Each structure stands twice: as C-alpha cells, then as structure tokens.
Amino acid sequence: MSISDEIQENLKKRRSINQDDDFGLERSWEELTNILSKNEDETIKYLMNCSKDDVLLISSVFDYVSENLQSKKFISCLRELDKKYPDLKLTSFIDDAEDYIKDN
C-alpha cells in the first residue's frame, strides 16, 4: 500500500472518530505520524497535492512529524501550504513544528 493510500485510510478513520474519544484520536494521530514519517519525499508530494480538509486534519501532527524527519525541506513544504491555504491559519502549527528540529 502506498503512503498516499495509507494516509487516505487513516484520515477516513479519523473523520469517523468522535471528538470526545481521546484514546481514538491519540491512536489515529500516532498512526498518522508514523505514516508521514516513513518517507519525506512521498509525504511532501502528498501534502502539496492534498485537499484543504486533509491539510487541516494533518496539521495536528506537524510537530511530531517534524521531530521525526528533522527536515527543513518538510518545514518549507508546510510554509507553502500556509500560503496556499491562508484561511487555515497554520503559521503557529508550523512554527511549533520548526521548533522540533534540532540545531534550528
């Protein structure tokens, strides 16, 4: 299964989780973090082509993925998404994600 397929499957499950189900949400975020941390290039490719709704859901794990990838290229991708979807107000999430990169 491709990373794109795995992300889509995770987000589909995520959308069905009740907002009050903290354990379910946490498990979904952990799984999504693992998927997005597998391959930086595929993750960036996915993010640059995904829907606004997907970006919003994925933004909840930007910091964890950033910590795993340790990549300025990933942060640059997030900055591009912030420009593409300014109404999502992603800047603070991206700033937090950038703080997870060592020797920043």
Side-chain angles (χ1 to χ4, degrees), residues 51-89:
S51 73
K52 182 178 175 177
D53 289 339
D54 286 359
V55 171
L56 184 59
L57 284 177
I58 293 169
S59 69
S60 60
V61 298
F62 282 172
D63 49 355
Y64 300 119
V65 176
S66 180
E67 183 177 31
N68 290 342
L69 292 178
Q70 292 294 307
S71 168
K72 294 199 182 281
K73 185 176 170 184
F74 177 69
I75 298 299
S76 293
C77 166
L78 300 182
R79 298 272 181 221
E80 288 300 314
L81 291 173
D82 196 20
K83 290 177 194 170
K84 187 175 180 179
Y85 303 116
D87 56 313
L88 293 182
K89 301 185 183 335

Short mmCIF file of all heavy atoms in Angstrom, two decimals, residues 51-89:
data_model
loop_
_atom_site.label_atom_id
_atom_site.label_comp_id
_atom_site.label_asym_id
_atom_site.label_seq_id
_atom_site.Cartn_x
_atom_site.Cartn_y
_atom_site.Cartn_z
N SER A 51 -6.09 17.81 -0.34
CA SER A 51 -7.16 18.78 -0.16
C SER A 51 -6.93 19.65 1.08
O SER A 51 -6.18 19.29 1.98
CB SER A 51 -8.51 18.06 -0.02
OG SER A 51 -8.59 17.43 1.25
N LYS A 52 -7.61 20.75 1.09
CA LYS A 52 -7.57 21.67 2.22
C LYS A 52 -8.02 20.97 3.50
O LYS A 52 -7.41 21.14 4.56
CB LYS A 52 -8.48 22.86 1.89
CG LYS A 52 -8.53 23.94 2.90
CD LYS A 52 -9.44 25.04 2.37
CE LYS A 52 -9.67 26.12 3.34
NZ LYS A 52 -10.50 27.20 2.77
N ASP A 53 -9.07 20.17 3.41
CA ASP A 53 -9.57 19.44 4.58
C ASP A 53 -8.53 18.46 5.12
O ASP A 53 -8.39 18.31 6.33
CB ASP A 53 -10.86 18.68 4.24
CG ASP A 53 -12.04 19.62 4.03
OD1 ASP A 53 -12.01 20.76 4.52
OD2 ASP A 53 -13.01 19.19 3.38
N ASP A 54 -7.81 17.80 4.21
CA ASP A 54 -6.76 16.88 4.63
C ASP A 54 -5.64 17.63 5.34
O ASP A 54 -5.13 17.18 6.37
CB ASP A 54 -6.19 16.09 3.45
CG ASP A 54 -7.14 15.02 2.94
OD1 ASP A 54 -8.24 14.86 3.50
OD2 ASP A 54 -6.78 14.35 1.95
N VAL A 55 -5.25 18.77 4.79
CA VAL A 55 -4.19 19.58 5.41
C VAL A 55 -4.60 19.95 6.83
O VAL A 55 -3.79 19.85 7.77
CB VAL A 55 -3.87 20.85 4.59
CG1 VAL A 55 -2.94 21.78 5.36
CG2 VAL A 55 -3.27 20.49 3.24
N LEU A 56 -5.83 20.35 7.00
CA LEU A 56 -6.31 20.73 8.32
C LEU A 56 -6.20 19.58 9.31
O LEU A 56 -5.71 19.75 10.43
CB LEU A 56 -7.75 21.24 8.24
CG LEU A 56 -8.34 21.77 9.55
CD1 LEU A 56 -7.51 22.93 10.10
CD2 LEU A 56 -9.79 22.19 9.33
N LEU A 57 -6.61 18.39 8.91
CA LEU A 57 -6.51 17.22 9.81
C LEU A 57 -5.05 16.86 10.09
O LEU A 57 -4.69 16.54 11.23
CB LEU A 57 -7.23 16.01 9.21
CG LEU A 57 -8.74 16.01 9.28
CD1 LEU A 57 -9.31 14.78 8.58
CD2 LEU A 57 -9.23 16.06 10.72
N ILE A 58 -4.24 16.92 9.06
CA ILE A 58 -2.82 16.54 9.21
C ILE A 58 -2.06 17.56 10.05
O ILE A 58 -1.09 17.20 10.73
CB ILE A 58 -2.18 16.35 7.82
CG1 ILE A 58 -2.80 15.13 7.12
CG2 ILE A 58 -0.66 16.19 7.92
CD1 ILE A 58 -2.44 14.99 5.65
N SER A 59 -2.52 18.80 10.07
CA SER A 59 -1.80 19.84 10.82
C SER A 59 -1.66 19.50 12.30
O SER A 59 -0.72 19.96 12.96
CB SER A 59 -2.49 21.19 10.66
OG SER A 59 -3.74 21.23 11.30
N SER A 60 -2.52 18.65 12.81
CA SER A 60 -2.45 18.27 14.23
C SER A 60 -1.20 17.45 14.55
O SER A 60 -0.84 17.32 15.72
CB SER A 60 -3.70 17.51 14.65
OG SER A 60 -3.86 16.33 13.90
N VAL A 61 -0.54 16.92 13.54
CA VAL A 61 0.67 16.12 13.79
C VAL A 61 1.92 16.72 13.14
O VAL A 61 2.97 16.07 13.10
CB VAL A 61 0.50 14.64 13.35
CG1 VAL A 61 -0.61 13.97 14.15
CG2 VAL A 61 0.28 14.51 11.86
N PHE A 62 1.84 17.95 12.66
CA PHE A 62 3.01 18.59 12.04
C PHE A 62 4.24 18.52 12.94
O PHE A 62 5.33 18.20 12.49
CB PHE A 62 2.74 20.07 11.73
CG PHE A 62 1.92 20.36 10.51
CD1 PHE A 62 1.50 21.65 10.27
CD2 PHE A 62 1.56 19.37 9.59
CE1 PHE A 62 0.75 21.97 9.15
CE2 PHE A 62 0.80 19.68 8.47
CZ PHE A 62 0.40 20.98 8.25
N ASP A 63 4.06 18.82 14.23
CA ASP A 63 5.20 18.86 15.13
C ASP A 63 5.83 17.48 15.34
O ASP A 63 7.06 17.34 15.32
CB ASP A 63 4.84 19.49 16.48
CG ASP A 63 3.57 18.94 17.10
OD1 ASP A 63 2.88 18.12 16.47
OD2 ASP A 63 3.26 19.35 18.24
N TYR A 64 5.01 16.45 15.46
CA TYR A 64 5.54 15.10 15.65
C TYR A 64 6.29 14.61 14.41
O TYR A 64 7.35 13.99 14.52
CB TYR A 64 4.42 14.11 15.98
CG TYR A 64 3.66 14.45 17.23
CD1 TYR A 64 2.29 14.71 17.18
CD2 TYR A 64 4.29 14.50 18.47
CE1 TYR A 64 1.58 15.03 18.33
CE2 TYR A 64 3.58 14.83 19.62
CZ TYR A 64 2.24 15.09 19.54
OH TYR A 64 1.55 15.40 20.67
N VAL A 65 5.74 14.90 13.25
CA VAL A 65 6.39 14.50 12.00
C VAL A 65 7.69 15.26 11.84
O VAL A 65 8.73 14.69 11.47
CB VAL A 65 5.46 14.73 10.78
CG1 VAL A 65 6.18 14.41 9.48
CG2 VAL A 65 4.20 13.89 10.92
N SER A 66 7.68 16.52 12.17
CA SER A 66 8.88 17.35 12.09
C SER A 66 9.98 16.80 13.00
O SER A 66 11.14 16.73 12.62
CB SER A 66 8.56 18.79 12.45
OG SER A 66 9.71 19.59 12.39
N GLU A 67 9.58 16.41 14.20
CA GLU A 67 10.54 15.84 15.14
C GLU A 67 11.17 14.57 14.57
O GLU A 67 12.37 14.35 14.71
CB GLU A 67 9.86 15.54 16.48
CG GLU A 67 10.80 15.01 17.54
CD GLU A 67 10.13 14.78 18.86
OE1 GLU A 67 8.91 14.46 18.89
OE2 GLU A 67 10.82 14.93 19.88
N ASN A 68 10.37 13.76 13.92
CA ASN A 68 10.88 12.51 13.34
C ASN A 68 11.75 12.76 12.10
O ASN A 68 12.79 12.14 11.94
CB ASN A 68 9.73 11.58 12.97
CG ASN A 68 9.03 11.01 14.17
OD1 ASN A 68 9.55 11.01 15.27
ND2 ASN A 68 7.82 10.54 13.97
N LEU A 69 11.30 13.64 11.23
CA LEU A 69 12.01 13.85 9.97
C LEU A 69 13.25 14.73 10.11
O LEU A 69 14.20 14.58 9.35
CB LEU A 69 11.07 14.46 8.91
CG LEU A 69 9.94 13.59 8.40
CD1 LEU A 69 9.08 14.38 7.41
CD2 LEU A 69 10.46 12.32 7.75
N GLN A 70 13.20 15.68 11.04
CA GLN A 70 14.31 16.62 11.22
C GLN A 70 14.69 17.25 9.88
O GLN A 70 15.84 17.22 9.45
CB GLN A 70 15.52 15.92 11.85
CG GLN A 70 15.32 15.48 13.28
CD GLN A 70 15.15 16.67 14.22
OE1 GLN A 70 15.96 17.57 14.25
NE2 GLN A 70 14.06 16.67 14.97
N SER A 71 13.71 17.85 9.22
CA SER A 71 13.89 18.31 7.85
C SER A 71 13.40 19.74 7.62
O SER A 71 12.22 20.03 7.81
CB SER A 71 13.15 17.36 6.90
OG SER A 71 13.08 17.91 5.62
N LYS A 72 14.29 20.57 7.17
CA LYS A 72 13.90 21.94 6.78
C LYS A 72 13.08 21.90 5.49
O LYS A 72 12.24 22.75 5.26
CB LYS A 72 15.14 22.81 6.63
CG LYS A 72 15.84 23.03 7.96
CD LYS A 72 16.75 24.21 7.93
CE LYS A 72 17.47 24.38 9.24
NZ LYS A 72 16.65 25.00 10.27
N LYS A 73 13.30 20.89 4.68
CA LYS A 73 12.52 20.71 3.45
C LYS A 73 11.04 20.49 3.80
O LYS A 73 10.15 21.01 3.13
CB LYS A 73 13.09 19.52 2.66
CG LYS A 73 12.48 19.28 1.32
CD LYS A 73 13.22 18.13 0.63
CE LYS A 73 12.53 17.66 -0.61
NZ LYS A 73 13.19 16.49 -1.22
N PHE A 74 10.79 19.71 4.84
CA PHE A 74 9.43 19.48 5.31
C PHE A 74 8.81 20.79 5.78
O PHE A 74 7.67 21.11 5.44
CB PHE A 74 9.43 18.43 6.44
CG PHE A 74 8.08 18.18 7.05
CD1 PHE A 74 7.08 17.55 6.34
CD2 PHE A 74 7.81 18.57 8.35
CE1 PHE A 74 5.83 17.31 6.90
CE2 PHE A 74 6.57 18.34 8.93
CZ PHE A 74 5.58 17.71 8.20
N ILE A 75 9.55 21.58 6.53
CA ILE A 75 9.06 22.87 7.01
C ILE A 75 8.76 23.79 5.84
O ILE A 75 7.74 24.49 5.83
CB ILE A 75 10.06 23.53 7.99
CG1 ILE A 75 10.28 22.65 9.23
CG2 ILE A 75 9.60 24.93 8.38
CD1 ILE A 75 9.04 22.38 10.07
N SER A 76 9.60 23.78 4.84
CA SER A 76 9.36 24.61 3.65
C SER A 76 8.06 24.21 2.96
O SER A 76 7.30 25.06 2.51
CB SER A 76 10.51 24.47 2.66
OG SER A 76 11.68 25.02 3.18
N CYS A 77 7.81 22.92 2.91
CA CYS A 77 6.55 22.42 2.35
C CYS A 77 5.37 22.95 3.16
O CYS A 77 4.38 23.42 2.58
CB CYS A 77 6.56 20.89 2.36
SG CYS A 77 4.95 20.13 2.07
N LEU A 78 5.48 22.92 4.47
CA LEU A 78 4.40 23.41 5.32
C LEU A 78 4.18 24.90 5.11
O LEU A 78 3.03 25.38 5.08
CB LEU A 78 4.70 23.13 6.80
CG LEU A 78 4.88 21.66 7.19
CD1 LEU A 78 5.12 21.54 8.68
CD2 LEU A 78 3.71 20.82 6.74
N ARG A 79 5.24 25.65 4.94
CA ARG A 79 5.13 27.10 4.68
C ARG A 79 4.38 27.34 3.35
O ARG A 79 3.59 28.28 3.25
CB ARG A 79 6.50 27.75 4.64
CG ARG A 79 7.27 27.66 5.94
CD ARG A 79 6.98 28.79 6.87
NE ARG A 79 7.78 28.64 8.09
CZ ARG A 79 7.32 28.88 9.30
NH1 ARG A 79 6.09 29.31 9.46
NH2 ARG A 79 8.10 28.73 10.35
N GLU A 80 4.65 26.49 2.37
CA GLU A 80 3.94 26.61 1.09
C GLU A 80 2.45 26.34 1.28
O GLU A 80 1.60 27.01 0.68
CB GLU A 80 4.53 25.65 0.05
CG GLU A 80 5.88 26.07 -0.46
CD GLU A 80 5.87 27.43 -1.13
OE1 GLU A 80 4.97 27.70 -1.95
OE2 GLU A 80 6.77 28.24 -0.82
N LEU A 81 2.13 25.36 2.11
CA LEU A 81 0.72 25.06 2.39
C LEU A 81 0.05 26.23 3.11
O LEU A 81 -1.13 26.53 2.87
CB LEU A 81 0.60 23.79 3.24
CG LEU A 81 0.98 22.49 2.56
CD1 LEU A 81 0.97 21.35 3.56
CD2 LEU A 81 0.04 22.20 1.40
N ASP A 82 0.80 26.89 3.97
CA ASP A 82 0.28 28.05 4.69
C ASP A 82 -0.08 29.17 3.70
O ASP A 82 -1.09 29.85 3.85
CB ASP A 82 1.31 28.53 5.70
CG ASP A 82 0.74 29.46 6.76
OD1 ASP A 82 -0.49 29.46 6.96
OD2 ASP A 82 1.53 30.18 7.39
N LYS A 83 0.74 29.34 2.68
CA LYS A 83 0.46 30.34 1.65
C LYS A 83 -0.73 29.91 0.78
O LYS A 83 -1.56 30.74 0.39
CB LYS A 83 1.69 30.54 0.74
CG LYS A 83 2.83 31.23 1.42
CD LYS A 83 4.01 31.30 0.47
CE LYS A 83 5.27 31.69 1.22
NZ LYS A 83 6.47 31.55 0.38
N LYS A 84 -0.79 28.62 0.49
CA LYS A 84 -1.86 28.09 -0.35
C LYS A 84 -3.23 28.17 0.33
O LYS A 84 -4.24 28.42 -0.32
CB LYS A 84 -1.52 26.62 -0.68
CG LYS A 84 -2.44 25.96 -1.67
CD LYS A 84 -1.91 24.55 -1.99
CE LYS A 84 -2.77 23.82 -2.98
NZ LYS A 84 -2.22 22.47 -3.28
N TYR A 85 -3.24 27.95 1.65
CA TYR A 85 -4.49 27.95 2.42
C TYR A 85 -4.38 28.91 3.62
O TYR A 85 -4.41 28.48 4.78
CB TYR A 85 -4.81 26.55 2.94
CG TYR A 85 -4.91 25.49 1.87
CD1 TYR A 85 -4.03 24.42 1.83
CD2 TYR A 85 -5.91 25.56 0.90
CE1 TYR A 85 -4.13 23.44 0.85
CE2 TYR A 85 -6.03 24.59 -0.08
CZ TYR A 85 -5.13 23.53 -0.10
OH TYR A 85 -5.25 22.57 -1.07
N PRO A 86 -4.28 30.21 3.36
CA PRO A 86 -4.09 31.17 4.47
C PRO A 86 -5.23 31.16 5.48
O PRO A 86 -5.01 31.45 6.66
CB PRO A 86 -3.98 32.52 3.76
CG PRO A 86 -4.58 32.33 2.42
CD PRO A 86 -4.39 30.88 2.07
N ASP A 87 -6.42 30.82 5.05
CA ASP A 87 -7.57 30.80 5.96
C ASP A 87 -7.48 29.69 7.02
O ASP A 87 -8.20 29.73 8.01
CB ASP A 87 -8.88 30.71 5.19
CG ASP A 87 -8.94 29.52 4.26
OD1 ASP A 87 -7.96 29.28 3.52
OD2 ASP A 87 -9.97 28.81 4.26
N LEU A 88 -6.60 28.72 6.81
CA LEU A 88 -6.43 27.66 7.82
C LEU A 88 -5.60 28.13 9.02
O LEU A 88 -5.59 27.47 10.05
CB LEU A 88 -5.77 26.41 7.20
CG LEU A 88 -6.59 25.65 6.18
CD1 LEU A 88 -5.82 24.42 5.68
CD2 LEU A 88 -7.95 25.24 6.73
N LYS A 89 -4.89 29.23 8.83
CA LYS A 89 -4.08 29.81 9.91
C LYS A 89 -3.12 28.77 10.50
O LYS A 89 -3.14 28.46 11.70
CB LYS A 89 -4.97 30.43 10.99
CG LYS A 89 -5.87 31.52 10.44
CD LYS A 89 -6.64 32.20 11.52
CE LYS A 89 -7.62 33.24 11.06
NZ LYS A 89 -7.45 33.93 9.84
#
